[in-house]
Amino acid sequence: VEFCEAQNFQLRLPSNRKLNNRRYRAEKRYWKKFNFRFTDYLYDKKDFYDNYVGTLMKQLNCFFKFQHDEHGFIENRFRQIFFVPKDEIQIIVLTVERHRFLIYDKEFESNLSEKLKRIKDIYVFGCWVALRVSDLVNLTSENLHISQGKTYLDAWSKKTHRRTSVLMPQHLMKIIEKYRGEKYLLPHYDPVYINLYGKELMEKAGWIETVVKYRQRRGINIQIYKDPIKKIHYRFCDLVSSHIMRRTAITTLISLGMKENMVRIISGHAPNSNNFYRYVSYAQTYIDKAMTDFFKKMEEEGRKSV
């Protein structure tokens, strides 16, 4: 509606029953024109990036398919007009060393406020079980079951409707015990505050190194600044969100050698999920960097011994 009013463009939905060859060609030209003008509007007037434009195009494709399949309106082949751009969002994760720091460094924990201690427990837990934050915050004692003396966390993903079961290690059992008797398994915060306080937690940990952030517009990489006027880059802690927990868990498991199909069962990803394979690719990069650093140390030690 906003586009139509701003660009003086009128939308129309013709019936398939009225489309002869001449009308079909006219309608195809019309929807191509709409596509070009709408895309230009999203990029030039609204300053959106490829990721959001792609989301809108997928919604249009869905709408066309639904209208064709359910109501007989609109030629289904018009869906091919809407190109879906893809923006590969940078993956921000905690390294194994940083995850271990949050788990075991008692001096760091003792210097945190009670609020940040509770947030730390959420992040430690989430970085292990790979659940989406919407599922994580609603866990209760009913999600736990004991089998052969071991405790498991059973969860059902609301998004993909897939069940996951994760063995609970000792450090997570300590967190569960800490909040026993409360309604939820973990401190219950709105995801907005988990994002906000998570940034504060990571800043307290000293993880403030510069991260150059990129987004894509029309397939071209564009640097994004925390302060565009002064061109101040983001810090690692600034880019932390609740989703880093799921990303960290998946990437860590893959990096440490767990098979992809097992990790996918734990994370609840659907088979052949494109999002899951992004983590696989990132984990391989992580492994390659570790191996390169190892080779450098080997060469340095070799030169010293000569």
Side-chain angles (χ1 to χ4, degrees):
V1 171
E2 183 182 340
F3 161 75
C4 290
E5 291 177 351
Q7 300 295 309
N8 192 27
F9 195 97
Q10 184 176 0
L11 286 178
R12 65 189 187 212
L13 302 178
S15 168
N16 279 350
R17 293 186 293 272
K18 298 179 181 179
L19 285 183
N20 54 33
N21 287 335
R22 184 177 62 81
R23 283 290 307 280
Y24 169 76
R25 289 194 294 271
E27 291 302 322
K28 189 172 183 179
R29 287 194 298 271
Y30 166 83
W31 284 106
K32 279 187 174 182
K33 180 181 178 182
F34 164 79
N35 181 51
F36 288 134
R37 290 186 59 179
F38 184 53
T39 301
D40 287 344
Y41 175 76
L42 295 175
Y43 282 124
D44 301 335
K45 302 297 183 182
K46 305 297 289 184
D47 286 332
F48 290 139
Y49 297 102
D50 285 353
N51 195 49
Y52 186 67
V53 173
T55 298
L56 295 182
M57 293 305 169
K58 282 190 283 189
Q59 291 174 348
L60 282 171
N61 285 334
C62 239
F63 171 76
F64 267 62
K65 187 177 187 306
F66 172 79
Q67 291 291 347
H68 179 269
D69 294 346
E70 299 295 326
H71 301 295
F73 284 95
I74 311 176
E75 170 59 45
N76 196 34
R77 284 173 291 176
F78 288 165
R79 291 195 303 130
Q80 300 171 2
I81 293 173
F82 301 112
F83 172 72
V84 179
K86 294 181 180 179
D87 183 359
E88 292 293 334
I89 305 297
Q90 289 167 276
I91 297 178
I92 303 295
V93 302
L94 296 180
T95 62
V96 175
E97 292 76 19
R98 287 183 171 181
H99 187 195
R100 189 181 295 120
F101 174 84
L102 291 181
I103 296 172
Y104 297 112
D105 196 298
K106 298 304 178 184
E107 182 180 354
F108 171 69
E109 183 177 9
S110 65
N111 291 322
L112 295 176
S113 65
E114 286 304 312
K115 174 192 70 180
L116 288 186
K117 286 179 182 178
R118 292 165 73 87
I119 291 296
K120 183 183 79 71
D121 287 341
I122 295 174
Y123 273 82
V124 166
F125 202 99
C127 286
W128 189 273
V129 299
L131 291 176
R132 293 177 178 85
V133 68
S134 57
D135 298 318
L136 184 70
V137 297
N138 290 311
L139 293 173
T140 68
S141 58
E142 294 180 357
N143 292 104
L144 298 175
H145 86 269
I146 299 176
S147 176
Q148 298 180 348
K150 299 177 180 178
T151 303
Y152 293 84
L153 177 74
D154 289 342
W156 185 263
S157 173
K158 292 181 180 179
K159 182 176 180 179
T160 61
H161 304 290
R162 299 177 71 86
R163 177 181 173 275
T164 61
S165 185
V166 182
L167 178 65
M168 293 286 95
Q170 189 60 36
H171 69 275
L172 294 194
M173 291 304 300
K174 290 180 180 178
I175 292 175
I176 292 172
E177 188 63 33
K178 190 187 299 186
Y179 303 104
R180 190 177 295 279
E182 297 189 13
K183 181 179 178 181
Y184 296 99
L185 211 59
L186 296 170
H188 198 68
Y189 287 94
D190 186 281
V192 172
Y193 292 104
I194 294 177
N195 288 343
L196 180 64
Y197 300 148
K199 298 178 193 299
E200 185 179 345
L201 175 68
M202 303 303 166
E203 186 175 20
K204 289 279 187 183
W207 301 332
I208 57 175
E209 70 273 15
T210 296
V211 178
V212 180
K213 185 178 180 181
Y214 290 94
R215 295 298 301 274
Q216 287 188 330
R217 184 179 286 130
R218 297 186 187 271
I220 299 173
N221 281 337
I222 299 173
Q223 277 195 31
I224 306 299
Y225 296 94
K226 183 179 180 181
D227 186 333
I229 298 177
K230 296 182 179 179
K231 293 191 179 300
I232 297 175
H233 286 289
Y234 286 92
R235 301 170 301 170
F236 178 88
C237 59
D238 299 324
L239 298 177
V240 167
S241 70
S242 58
H243 200 54
I244 197 176
M245 295 183 281
R246 180 168 166 81
R247 290 170 174 165
T248 295
I250 295 170
T251 306
T252 301
L253 291 172
I254 295 172
S255 298
L256 294 179
M258 184 176 286
K259 293 182 179 179
E260 293 175 19
N261 62 320
M262 294 181 182
V263 178
R264 191 161 46 241
I265 291 171
I266 293 173
S267 66
H269 275 98
N272 299 319
S273 166
N274 289 332
N275 284 333
F276 178 78
Y277 284 107
R278 287 185 61 214
Y279 297 120
V280 175
S281 177
Y282 183 85
Q284 185 59 53
T285 302
Y286 181 74
I287 294 169
D288 290 346
K289 183 180 184 303
M291 289 298 293
T292 300
D293 292 342
F294 173 74
F295 292 150
K296 286 181 179 178
K297 289 180 181 179
M298 287 286 288
E299 290 175 358
E300 290 173 2
E301 291 298 324
R303 284 195 294 267
K304 290 178 182 177
S305 62
V306 174

